Structure formats: structure tokens, C-alpha cells
Amino acid sequence: MSYPLVGLNKIYVLFVFTLCSVSTMAQSYLGVWEQINNDGQKGALVRIEKSSRANTYVGTIIHVFRYPQDILCTHCKGDLHNKPVVGMQFMYDMEYKKGELVNGKIIDVKTGKTYYTKLSYNKQDDALLMRASVDASGFIGETQVWKRYK
């Protein structure tokens, strides 16, 4: 005698397990990160969280080092021009795909320029690799290491 529902139950359990795994992996990106500039200096503390838009993530500057906390983004364009850097959502539209946050944009608050960005999580070091580039493929740009803030 065959029990076809048994096979369906296995598929359902596998589907739920896969969804939980993806959700857990995406959770690795959430939290506060210490942005380290390429000169080795601390730049800012950044909070990464889920956006109000479905399946997207954003980054907000919550503290800056080596600058007053009330510094303004004088080079930013549009609505962000002359707005406080601390509290600014400077990274947006990040989508979780294949273990990375991709297809996002990031604003360099020193220049006001916007770049494509991708974040990769390094579980061994509990760190993020943030790639900012002028091209969507990520070929021309630079990478920073962001350490989890404790």
C-alpha cells in the first residue's frame, strides 16, 4: 500500500528547512558594524536592518569617528544635501541572494557620489566585505572590511 502524502510531507519539511536556513543566513548581516577605512582608521558605525520594502536591507550611519556627531553631508545631492550624516540611510536596496546582499547602492558621504554595492559575510571572522563600485558588475571599485561592533 502506498502513502503518497508521506512524500509530500518530506518535500514540505525540506521546503520549510530551506526557508529557515536562508532566513538564518540573512540574519548574519543584521546588526551594528564598524566600518574600517582603507587607511585602517575607523570611519563609522553602521546599522544594517531589514527595510520596510519586502526582502530588502538598508544601512544607517549611527556614529562617526574623527568628526563631530552633527556633521552635515554638504556634498550629498537632493534630499540628503546638508542633512546630518549620523542617522542617514546611506546604503539601500540591498537584496539577499545566494548568501550575499547585492544590487544595492551606497552613498559616499565625503563626496556625495553614489556607488553600486554588495556585501559578503565572512563567518570565520564575523566580518563583512563591502564592495563599492562604479559599475554594476563590481569590476571597478574598492572593498572594505567591516567588523561586527561588540
Side-chain angles (χ1 to χ4, degrees):
M1 182 167 192
S2 174
Y3 295 97
L5 289 179
V6 172
L8 288 176
N9 285 339
K10 287 180 184 177
I11 291 171
Y12 176 75
V13 168
L14 181 61
F15 176 74
V16 169
F17 177 74
T18 302
L19 283 179
C20 290
S21 296
V22 168
S23 175
T24 300
M25 290 169 57
Q27 294 288 329
S28 301
Y29 290 90
L30 302 179
V32 177
W33 299 89
E34 192 172 60
Q35 179 253 340
I36 309 295
N37 294 324
N38 288 337
D39 61 4
Q41 298 287 320
K42 295 177 184 180
L45 293 179
V46 176
R47 177 181 294 118
I48 297 177
E49 57 197 346
K50 285 194 86 159
S51 168
S52 58
R53 276 191 33 221
N55 300 318
T56 61
Y57 296 79
V58 296
T60 304
I61 297 171
I62 60 171
H63 180 82
V64 291
F65 296 97
R66 301 183 297 159
Y67 294 97
Q69 297 306 297
D70 61 353
I71 189 170
L72 302 178
C73 192
T74 57
H75 295 290
C76 288
K77 313 274 187 285
D79 292 343
L80 297 178
H81 180 69
N82 282 334
K83 296 293 183 196
V85 169
V86 174
M88 180 180 289
Q89 191 178 96
F90 78 120
M91 190 168 54
Y92 54 95
D93 291 343
M94 305 291 295
E95 302 171 342
Y96 185 79
K97 290 185 180 176
K98 297 182 182 178
E100 297 180 318
L101 292 180
V102 298
N103 301 327
K105 298 284 175 59
I106 190 165
I107 299 167
D108 181 341
V109 296
K110 289 183 181 177
T111 66
K113 293 181 180 177
T114 301
Y115 297 95
Y116 295 97
T117 191
K118 170 178 100 168
L119 293 174
S120 303
Y121 179 67
N122 179 325
K123 184 177 181 179
Q124 182 178 352
D125 297 331
D126 194 23
L128 295 180
L129 297 177
M130 188 284 301
R131 178 76 179 167
S133 58
V134 295
D135 60 316
S137 65
F139 186 68
I140 303 169
E142 68 178 45
T143 302
Q144 292 180 342
V145 176
W146 294 4
K147 304 275 185 178
R148 189 176 300 277
Y149 184 69
K150 299 182 186 210

